[in-house]
Amino acid sequence: MSPSPAAPTHCPYCALQCGMMVGRDDNGAWAVSPRDFPTNKGGLCRKGFTAASLLDSPERLKRPLLRREKRGALEPASWEEALDFVADKLIAIRAASGPDAIGVFGGGGLTNEKAYLLGKFARFSIGTANIDYNGRFCMASAAAAGLRAFGLDRGLPFPLEDIPEASVIIIFGSNPAETMPPIMQYFEEQRRRGGRCIVVDPRRTATAKAATDHLQVTPGTDSALANGLLHVAIQRGFADKAFIAERTSGFEAVRRVVARYWPDRVERITGIPAKKIEEIAELCGRAPSLMALSGRGPEQQSHGVDNVLSFINLVLALGQSGKRNAGYGCMTGQGNGQGGREHGQKADQLPGYRRLDNVRHRAEVAAVWGIDPARLPKPGLSACELLDEAGRAIRALLVFASNIVVSAPDALALAKRLGALDLLVVSDFFLSETAEIADVVLPVAQWAEEEGTMTNLEGRVIHRRPVKPPPEGVRSDIDVMVGIAARLGDDTLGKSADNVDDEFRRATAGGAADYAGITRERIDAEDGVFWPCPDAGHPGTPRLFLDRFATPDGRARFHAVEHMEPAERPDAEYPYFLTTGRILTQYQSGAQTRRVPSLVAAEPAPFLEIHPDTAALLSIRQGDWVHAHTRRGAVTLAARLTPDIRRDTVFAPFHWSGAGAANALTNAALDPISKIPEFKVCAVALERASAPTAPASAREILHS
Ligand SMILES: Nc1nc2c(c(=O)[nH]1)N[C@H]1C(S)=C(S)[C@@H](COP(=O)(O)OP(=O)(O)OC[C@H]3O[C@@H](n4cnc5c(=O)[nH]c(N)nc54)[C@H](O)[C@@H]3O)O[C@H]1N2
Ligand SMILES: Nc1nc2c(c(=O)[nH]1)N[C@H]1C(S)=C(S)[C@@H](COP(=O)(O)OP(=O)(O)OC[C@H]3O[C@@H](n4cnc5c(=O)[nH]c(N)nc54)[C@H](O)[C@@H]3O)O[C@H]1N2
Ligand code: SF4
Ligand SMILES: [Mo]
């Protein structure tokens, strides 16, 4: 095959949405080359570079698979048979148990148009209230905190180009050097200009090493740290009284609470020396411009919303919000983690960041759909609650773009719940671990075979362009939804799908996340357009809150936060903290990146990071097998000794399944507001093991 001209598009993976060219190389294989786009400035990480190799992967699903007998094997089926099978079951379940017995689970990797249509498919075609998505595992705490404090949730309220302009940046619980490598260009530039960058993380990560300061906190103590910093800053007279009076409300309660977080006490909670807390507070207090950026570290906790709010309090009290080159931002995760949470695949939400419990919002969306607002269901169950009801109130689950068997917390319990369903349907392009246990697997097109828009971590809407047609036998997620809807008696979803670009933008018009003016032509001409952008003449909004916050009175709101312990703390039986997260060369559940040979070669197996002193106490040497167990499950992992982690903490990446699946260990304790699970903190016991335990696949758990 001869090389084909490369076409411009974006990486399928993370929220940076790096620009790339995709075409055939001299050997006829699909290949990626970097493209100069404002987010990545020509940079790409190894995952992005190798993404196109999966387009022609021999493991690609090209025919629907059907489990005709409950305990039988998955066998090839025609599309007609597979969709008929799904629809017949759904109709029977709906008749017996009502529409809410059908759950829909979406993903932050879906385009805006697909996320929009999935919400309509669930609420209108099926009529269920119960749709939620994997973003609930991701930035739900930051989103809830942003809504509470600023009246609006957009990951970063400013473009990346503002980062180098900030004089001081606090990165709390994010490791972009591994999770978004090209973004480091902006932090490096900030340092070159003499800025200070403080990383708060229990591990001395690649990001911490690139920073000027590292605060190696005890897991689960970010809010105590933020309260301590604010305590010192107020005591030293750095509170911005004019800003607080003019642009905020609720400061007094925060002042009272943080008065009790004197540095010695905060040192005892966080492990950060009081002197260091004073130094950093002074630095923040004097900073001409301060940014605080959060990642999943403090967010994926049972007090995730409070953790974020406590840093927002610091930024607000110092007058470092609602102006250029300053403010709080969340570094969103998945490719469309941002857009995916704005357009209706979240349990409480309608397109345009509208709310299902708001009468006006319901009427606006119902008008676009041409239905009576009463036909819209009430808010449904959030992701973990939905999965917990599987096989109980939820009888059927349709999964689009998530590999929950690997990525949800307390995975062994989840596998049992999924096994109790009457019907599990998975739409994917690979036989993920979740697809493996499904009753029906529907093979769909990949990123470079479809067109749509995505919204990156800055709120910049970008254009995903098709580079090649999908392989024969493969359909799109949209075809799947339309095919099922039609069999359920809804012929209108097909019409919506034909004009989904247009209908989607109309459905957002007038909402907080207004995309009405964001056409693909504009995106191409302007390197993306920032929402809100209500009409064709509007320039888009790279910077939010400069004049006013998005609350009804225009003021940002303080929230007094008391530091609270995580749901589980180390004790005599389970003496260490376990935290989980990511490594550079693997993506999420690994369903994609564990199928890329060069990434597998780089990091072939899961491991456990452990401090050499801790390892010595347990007679564990480099590379030894370690049996790690919690109140929920046990795994065996190879020990990776590193002085970069706290002595009381171990770290496991969650990209693998089977015997090394980190989520067999994690705690599904939820934040009461965001309903995010506590992936980042639980208590674990460790012992040296002589051999790895046999891998327990979800399929085996189900049938044991
Ligand atoms: N290589 C790679 N890149 C990715 C992804 C991937 O899977 N692989 N996934 C994408 C997605 S969906 C997301 S959400 C982002 C996530 O991006 P990040 O938020 O950067 O990733 P994590 O590794 O989950 O967590 C960040 C850090 O939190 C720290 N941490 C743990 N507990 C605490 C705590 O109590 N307090 C503080 N302050 N820190 C703590 C961990 O040590 C870890 O270094 O990455 C995106 N990019
Ligand atoms: N222990 C622990 N667990 C975690 C986390 C953690 O830090 N620690 N982080 C959590 C976070 S932040 C996240 S975002 C989740 C992510 O976890 P998952 O939701 O499992 O994310 P992926 O592994 O990306 O799974 C996406 C699946 O959908 C497929 N897919 C991709 N794009 C499409 C598409 O357009 N259509 C369809 N139909 N399929 C598609 C992929 O092949 C893959 O099988 O994991 C969470 N789990
Ligand atoms: S940083 Fe994210 S968007 Fe960029 S190439 Fe890597 S995975 Fe893709
Ligand atoms: Mo995420």
Side-chain angles (χ1 to χ4, degrees):
M1 228 172 286
S2 60
S4 69
T9 188
H10 293 267
C11 177
Y13 299 124
C14 87
L16 195 55
Q17 284 299 292
C18 296
M20 55 168 57
M21 305 295 289
V22 179
R24 288 200 188 269
D25 67 13
D26 294 341
N27 302 319
W30 290 104
V32 164
S33 53
R35 172 161 76 95
D36 198 24
F37 192 74
T39 56
N40 57 312
K41 301 194 208 177
L44 286 179
C45 81
R46 290 172 73 176
K47 299 184 299 300
F49 261 118
T50 53
S53 68
L54 292 177
L55 295 171
D56 276 345
S57 166
E59 291 182 70
R60 190 90 197 253
L61 297 173
K62 294 184 186 156
R63 295 178 69 182
L65 300 173
L66 188 57
R67 198 182 306 281
R68 293 184 176 88
E69 307 284 332
K70 196 64 192 161
R71 294 209 158 195
L74 275 173
E75 296 162 344
S78 71
W79 274 98
E80 295 311 305
E81 190 192 0
L83 293 177
D84 285 347
F85 183 94
V86 172
D88 288 349
K89 291 254 177 179
L90 294 182
I91 288 167
I93 290 167
R94 201 160 61 169
S97 314
D100 288 343
I102 300 170
V104 177
F105 199 96
L110 297 174
T111 60
N112 287 316
E113 292 75 13
K114 289 200 274 187
Y116 164 74
L117 214 64
L118 193 65
K120 189 171 186 183
F121 168 69
R123 298 199 177 92
F124 180 71
S125 308
I126 297 176
T128 179
N130 291 319
I131 169 170
D132 211 53
Y133 80 124
N134 68 3
R136 191 70 73 172
F137 301 158
C138 187
M139 15 34 45
S141 296
L147 277 175
R148 279 175 161 63
F150 308 121
L152 189 69
D153 148 45
R154 196 182 85 187
L156 298 180
F158 40 72
L160 292 172
E161 67 187 62
D162 287 3
I163 287 177
E165 310 280 335
S167 40
V168 174
I169 300 178
I170 305 180
I171 300 179
F172 57 117
S174 176
N175 183 16
E178 295 204 63
T179 53
M180 302 188 173
I183 210 177
M184 294 307 283
Q185 299 172 81
Y186 295 91
F187 294 108
E188 282 153 15
E189 177 63 19
Q190 188 252 358
R191 271 200 70 177
R192 262 200 298 281
R193 296 189 193 179
R196 287 277 286 267
C197 181
I198 303 138
V199 169
V200 181
D201 198 305
R203 302 184 302 139
R204 194 168 145 73
T205 57
T207 311
K209 286 174 187 164
T212 53
D213 299 83
H214 177 209
L215 306 182
Q216 196 161 18
V217 278
T218 305
T221 65
D222 291 78
S223 62
L225 176 66
N227 282 355
L229 292 171
L230 185 51
H231 172 102
V232 177
I234 292 173
Q235 207 182 36
R236 298 190 178 187
F238 291 118
D240 185 336
K241 295 199 182 73
F243 177 86
I244 292 169
E246 283 158 30
R247 299 203 55 190
T248 72
S249 60
F251 177 65
E252 205 31 49
V254 170
R255 199 187 55 74
R256 273 198 306 273
V257 166
V258 302
R260 296 192 293 273
Y261 287 78
W262 51 91
D264 287 338
R265 179 182 170 215
V266 175
E267 172 174 337
R268 284 196 296 279
I269 302 172
T270 63
I272 308 301
K275 278 257 158 315
K276 190 72 188 171
I277 294 167
E278 285 166 8
E279 180 204 326
I280 299 296
E282 181 89 21
L283 187 68
C284 294
R286 292 193 185 282
S289 56
L290 170 71
M291 278 181 189
L293 303 175
S294 67
R296 300 307 80 79
E299 297 169 17
Q300 290 171 327
Q301 297 192 18
S302 58
H303 303 291
V305 177
D306 280 353
N307 288 339
V308 174
L309 285 170
S310 67
F311 274 92
I312 292 177
N313 288 341
L314 177 68
V315 164
L316 287 176
L318 298 177
Q320 297 285 3
S321 195
K323 67 172 195 179
R324 288 282 297 241
N325 310 325
Y328 161 75
C330 149
M331 315 254 272
T332 297
Q334 298 177 86
N336 198 26
Q338 180 67 46
R341 71 189 191 244
E342 299 163 0
H343 302 302
Q345 60 172 334
K346 212 170 162 195
D348 52 0
Q349 217 177 56
L350 288 168
Y353 229 132
R354 292 187 177 88
R355 295 184 56 90
L356 259 173
D357 59 6
N358 179 305
V359 177
R360 185 169 55 83
H361 292 181
R362 292 170 69 90
E364 285 165 354
V365 173
V368 176
W369 292 358
I371 59 168
D372 180 346
R375 278 209 48 191
L376 290 173
K378 298 267 172 305
L381 296 169
S382 68
C384 286
E385 296 169 317
L386 176 63
L387 297 178
D388 200 43
E389 284 299 326
R392 298 175 177 136
I394 299 292
R395 305 306 319 169
L397 188 68
L398 312 182
V399 181
F400 291 79
S402 181
N403 187 9
I404 42 181
V405 161
V406 179
S407 56
D410 197 1
L412 302 179
L414 173 71
K416 292 206 176 109
R417 295 260 48 84
L418 295 180
L421 284 166
D422 298 333
L423 178 70
L424 176 62
V425 181
V426 172
S427 159
D428 207 307
F429 25 80
F430 291 119
L431 194 65
S432 70
E433 286 79 359
T434 310
E436 267 176 38
I437 62 164
D439 300 295
V440 186
V441 183
L442 302 169
V444 291
Q446 285 195 46
W447 56 288
E449 299 158 354
E450 64 176 15
E451 180 157 33
T453 62
M454 311 271 282
T455 307
N456 84 344
L457 79 168
E458 306 166 281
R460 183 197 302 264
V461 184
I462 57 111
H463 184 183
R464 171 179 276 192
R465 286 194 204 76
V467 174
K468 66 180 277 284
E472 217 180 295
V474 159
R475 294 192 182 174
S476 72
D477 288 304
I478 290 185
D479 291 336
V480 169
M481 293 176 224
V482 169
I484 298 173
R487 285 167 174 80
L488 296 181
D490 172 21
D491 292 323
T492 66
L493 200 72
K495 285 199 200 74
S496 301
D498 292 341
N499 295 306
V500 66
D501 170 29
D502 189 53
E503 183 178 309
F504 157 66
R505 282 189 291 114
R506 269 193 299 123
T508 70
D514 192 328
Y515 284 49
I518 308 183
T519 59
R520 290 174 191 175
E521 296 69 34
R522 275 193 70 182
I523 296 175
D524 293 345
E526 300 170 30
D527 276 347
V529 180
F530 290 77
W531 70 259
C533 178
D535 57 66
H538 190 283
T541 316
R543 294 175 184 84
L544 295 166
F545 314 140
L546 293 183
D547 305 321
R548 69 190 304 276
F549 293 96
T551 51
D553 63 4
R555 289 165 177 268
R557 295 195 203 99
F558 282 95
H559 291 81
V561 169
E562 283 287 5
H563 166 68
M564 309 244 260
E565 302 264 303
E568 198 178 66
R569 271 189 60 90
D571 54 22
E573 218 180 328
Y574 297 95
Y576 300 98
F577 284 109
L578 169 73
T579 192
T580 62
R582 296 161 166 81
I583 59 169
L584 176 72
T585 47
Q586 289 294 323
Y587 189 68
Q588 313 278 61
S589 73
Q592 290 158 274
T593 45
R594 278 188 280 118
R595 292 181 160 88
V596 178
S598 66
L599 298 180
V600 174
E603 204 66 83
F607 56 86
L608 188 76
E609 277 185 5
I610 179 167
H611 193 280
D613 293 350
T614 310
L617 279 176
L618 299 165
S619 307
I620 291 168
R621 288 155 310 177
Q622 180 75 357
D624 278 353
W625 291 110
V626 183
H627 184 62
H629 50 112
T630 67
R631 290 186 174 83
R632 295 154 293 280
V635 300
T636 318
L637 295 163
R640 186 171 291 185
L641 272 51
T642 167
D644 292 333
I645 191 161
R646 291 174 57 92
R647 287 176 179 76
D648 58 3
T649 305
V650 292
F651 168 85
F654 78 101
H655 310 296
W656 284 271
S657 63
N663 276 323
L665 304 174
T666 50
N667 191 354
L670 302 185
D671 180 285
I673 299 164
S674 69
K675 308 286 167 110
I676 207 168
E678 194 147 65
F679 288 121
K680 286 296 189 271
V681 196
C682 72
V684 68
L686 307 169
E687 283 133 36
R688 189 155 68 94
S690 50
T693 36
S697 69
R699 211 168 141 54
E700 285 160 351
I701 293 162
L702 288 190
H703 296 176
S704 65

